[in-house]
Every structure is written in structure tokens, then in C-alpha cells.
Amino acid sequence: MKGAISNFRKAILLNKDYLKAHINLAKAFEEKKDWDNAIKSYAKATELDPKYTFGYYQRGHILALRKGKYDSAIEIWEEGYKNNPDESKFKKYIEQLKKLKKRFKSK
């Protein structure tokens, strides 16, 4: 995995807008459970291509499930929905996470 991360970083140095390299780097960081760098790489991917819905989904999932940052996850999914209004999963995830937050607050 270390070699893959190094290779993806080299590819990005050659072309900072190489979307596929940012995506693969994010996935490699996820496999290493390096959540912060995975989030950064997915963020760059969605910056390069706002229609790249998987990047928003993964950032939100990592923030909510791995880091416990529910509000941040909701913000990411709202941004994804704004950029991809036909992608109904964003609304579903936002609603589910808001319900989950309410349950935790009531306990």
C-alpha cells in the first residue's frame, strides 16, 4: 500500500488535476485507515469534479462513522446534493443522520 500511495502522489505532482490519482489515493488512505488524508483526497477529487458523488459519500461516511463528526458529514452531503440534485441518496443519508443525532441528544 505504501508503494501505491507514493505512486499516486508522484502522479499528482506531475498533474495536480489528475482526478483518478486523487480518487485512488483516497481509497489507498482508506485502506490504511488514514481517515484525515482520505478525507483530504476525496475533497480534492470533488473539487476537481463536483459531479463525483462517491467522493461526497465517502467523506460523509468517514466523518460520521469513523470520526463522529455528524454535523460535518451533513454539510458534506448537503454540498454533494447541491452539486448533484438528481442524486436522491444524499437526502436519504442527511435525513437518517439527523434522526440519529436526535436520538443521541435525547439520551
Side-chain angles (χ1 to χ4, degrees), residues 77-88:
W77 288 335
E78 286 174 341
E79 178 186 343
Y81 185 63
K82 184 180 104 183
N83 291 322
N84 301 280
D86 294 332
E87 192 66 35
S88 62

Side-chain angles (χ1 to χ4, degrees), residues 10-70:
K10 286 177 188 174
I12 290 166
L13 284 174
L14 293 172
N15 179 357
K16 66 179 174 60
D17 296 333
Y18 186 16
L19 178 63
K20 193 72 172 168
H22 287 284
I23 293 167
N24 288 329
L25 183 59
K27 290 177 182 180
F29 282 132
E30 269 194 282
E31 285 186 32
K32 280 186 65 183
K33 296 182 177 23
D34 184 345
W35 309 124
D36 291 332
N37 280 316
I39 289 168
K40 288 176 192 173
S41 295
Y42 281 126
K44 183 61 179 179
T46 55
E47 177 187 319
L48 291 171
D49 181 4
K51 299 293 183 191
Y52 177 58
T53 58
F54 186 76
Y56 295 108
Y57 287 131
Q58 287 307 101
R59 283 168 60 202
H61 283 292
I62 292 168
L63 286 164
L65 301 176
R66 303 294 183 196
K67 299 184 72 69
K69 296 183 177 182
Y70 304 120

